[in-house]
Amino acid sequence: MPVVNITRRLPVKTISADIDSLNGLGTVNNYLPVRSDAAPEALRTSFTTMQAMQQKETELQAMLKAAADAARQAEWDFHNGVLGMKEAVRAQFGPDSNEAQAIGYKKKSEYRRPRRMPKTAEAM
């Protein structure tokens, strides 16, 4: 007998077949289950519990998506505000100021000037 992995979700096809079986149980006369979890009342209870948990999962997924969207928007708002602040600091104090360096820019004077390449005989 194969090992059943209960950490994985059941396929939708399996759940649909189980629901059809439960609905078909109503037509069976003189059904006397040996196991208490296979009794019609217990099956109906577990069915309604499953539906409630699926609904709760769907609601939480929607809330998670909304929270993720709100967090993403807040991140972009913060990032755009920081970019505006950096532009304002560079405009107010200049690109070679200590203030520009304090917010993360490299001073303009600290960049190396490009050197000219000497012309060689091969390049001519």
Side-chain angles (χ1 to χ4, degrees), residues 12-39:
V12 174
K13 187 176 179 180
T14 303
I15 298 290
S16 287
D18 290 346
I19 293 170
D20 290 342
S21 296
L22 176 63
N23 291 334
L25 181 62
T27 63
V28 176
N29 293 327
N30 301 325
Y31 171 64
L32 298 171
V34 177
R35 297 171 41 174
S36 61
D37 61 340

Side-chain angles (χ1 to χ4, degrees), residues 13-85:
K13 187 176 179 180
T14 303
I15 298 290
S16 287
D18 290 346
I19 293 170
D20 290 342
S21 296
L22 176 63
N23 291 334
L25 181 62
T27 63
V28 176
N29 293 327
N30 301 325
Y31 171 64
L32 298 171
V34 177
R35 297 171 41 174
S36 61
D37 61 340
E41 301 81 27
L43 291 171
R44 291 277 175 209
T45 302
S46 64
F47 176 66
T48 56
T49 302
M50 178 190 72
Q51 285 182 320
M53 292 298 112
Q54 287 174 336
Q55 180 180 354
K56 184 176 181 178
E57 178 188 25
T58 303
E59 291 168 355
L60 290 173
Q61 284 174 343
M63 289 173 55
L64 176 66
K65 287 179 184 178
D69 288 345
R72 181 185 40 79
Q73 185 61 46
E75 290 167 358
W76 275 104
D77 292 344
F78 173 70
H79 177 67
N80 289 333
V82 169
L83 291 178
M85 176 268 302

